[in-house]
Amino acid sequence: MSLMSIGYLVRDLPPWFFYGFTLIWVFTAVFVGFGLGATLLKQEHAKDAPIGSVVGATLGLLAFILAFTFGAAANRFDARKQLLLDEVNAIGTAYLRSDFLAASARVQAQTWLRQYVALRLKSARNPQQVRGYLEKAESIQNQLWRQMRQQFQQGDNSPALALYAAALNDMFDLQTKRATVALQYHVPEMIWLVLYLVTFLSMVGVGLQFRLSGSRSLMVVSVLALSFSAVIALIGELDRSNGGLLVISQQPMLKLAEDLTANKAY
């Protein structure tokens, strides 16, 4: 399994496929352990080997890696929610400060800002086309900045225009931060590789120990495998930014769009 294939599996394929693959991976490891156990039973003193200690150590290591990876993915998920709220506030501030522009420029700027919010909503609802919507949003950013610069070049050096420029700058920066966190910041693929490797070795150890102990309880092994697979799938969902089961609510941006359309003040 290459690093590229792991990233594609986690972030681009449907969630059910990722969970199904993880289940197959875990159950395959368990049955490999059963097979190894059957082989070891034919050898003398096989039951005297410290299998339980080794399995306990690998399961502890797996739990540590799962906790670490879950924390990284959860923090990124929280960061995406916070950046959404920050961007909503920045756009609202820029819209308010556009009142400092001349009448004709104000109407055009506010129209562009409403279009900008609509594009940000579309990019969230259509994650497969997000790059196209980002390019359109950047085009509106350029138009807003050129308009503000023209007013400055026409002799408007008022503090009010400076405040508007600062609001635009914050809005642009937050759009870049949101896009970067969503599209580029993920759980490193090397961590996914190590996680799957340790999971495989741990489940092999579990299957081996069950076989050596004489237990054939498929239900107990299934519960363990399903539990670990569910946690790994949850980490994948937290790390996913192009849709899935865990989707960040766009209600703040939707409320902003409604307010701008109604021309409400903040």
Side-chain angles (χ1 to χ4, degrees):
M1 184 186 301
S2 67
L3 295 183
M4 183 177 297
S5 66
I6 292 178
Y8 178 75
L9 173 70
V10 174
R11 293 187 288 272
D12 296 318
L13 293 180
W16 60 265
F17 189 95
F18 173 55
Y19 184 61
F21 172 84
T22 305
L23 276 177
I24 294 172
W25 182 260
V26 171
F27 275 107
T28 299
V30 171
F31 286 117
V32 168
F34 275 134
L36 290 175
T39 301
L40 288 176
L41 281 176
K42 299 176 183 179
Q43 302 176 7
E44 293 184 3
H45 308 298
K47 292 186 177 181
D48 296 334
I51 302 297
S53 300
V54 175
V55 173
T58 55
L59 286 175
L61 179 60
L62 176 59
F64 171 77
I65 296 176
L66 283 173
F68 174 81
T69 311
F70 182 88
N75 288 338
R76 176 177 168 273
F77 187 79
D78 290 338
R80 288 165 54 203
K81 291 194 295 184
Q82 185 59 51
L83 285 172
L84 169 63
L85 293 176
D86 291 343
E87 185 180 26
V88 167
N89 289 332
I91 296 173
T93 300
Y95 190 89
L96 280 178
R97 293 181 182 178
S98 66
D99 284 339
F100 300 146
L101 297 172
S104 58
R106 179 176 67 249
V107 172
Q108 182 62 74
Q110 291 179 350
T111 299
W112 281 334
L113 286 169
R114 285 191 292 269
Q115 293 173 352
Y116 185 82
V117 172
L119 285 172
R120 302 301 288 133
L121 282 171
K122 289 179 180 178
S123 66
R125 293 169 177 169
N126 302 278
Q128 303 301 332
Q129 304 175 30
V130 63
R131 296 187 184 276
Y133 288 122
L134 287 177
E135 291 177 359
K136 294 178 181 179
E138 289 172 0
S139 176
I140 292 179
Q141 289 179 359
N142 293 333
Q143 291 173 318
L144 287 166
W145 192 258
R146 281 197 299 268
Q147 182 194 58
M148 185 278 302
R149 186 176 58 193
Q150 288 173 358
Q151 185 158 336
F152 175 79
Q153 291 172 344
Q154 291 171 1
D156 187 349
N157 299 321
S158 65
L161 185 63
L163 289 174
Y164 175 63
L168 286 181
N169 189 66
D170 290 342
M171 186 181 82
F172 300 165
D173 288 347
L174 283 165
Q175 190 264 1
T176 301
K177 288 180 181 179
R178 280 193 69 194
T180 301
V181 171
L183 300 177
Q184 300 180 25
Y185 287 179
H186 298 283
V187 173
E189 295 184 340
M190 182 59 73
I191 292 181
W192 280 113
L193 180 63
V194 172
L195 175 58
Y196 270 93
L197 177 61
V198 174
T199 299
F200 189 85
L201 295 176
S202 299
M203 293 301 108
V204 167
V206 169
L208 176 62
Q209 186 176 26
F210 266 73
R211 187 68 181 89
L212 291 178
S213 65
S215 174
R216 296 179 179 274
S217 177
L218 183 60
M219 179 175 293
V220 175
V221 176
S222 298
V223 169
L224 182 65
L226 288 169
S227 299
F228 276 102
S229 299
V231 173
I232 294 174
L234 178 59
I235 295 172
E237 281 301 296
L238 288 170
D239 192 48
R240 185 186 295 264
S241 58
N242 59 346
L245 302 178
L246 291 177
V247 180
I248 294 177
S249 173
Q250 297 298 310
Q251 187 58 37
M253 189 70 75
L254 182 60
K255 180 65 165 56
L256 175 65
E258 294 173 351
D259 290 344
L260 296 189
T261 301
N263 245 338
K264 291 184 179 179
Y266 295 90

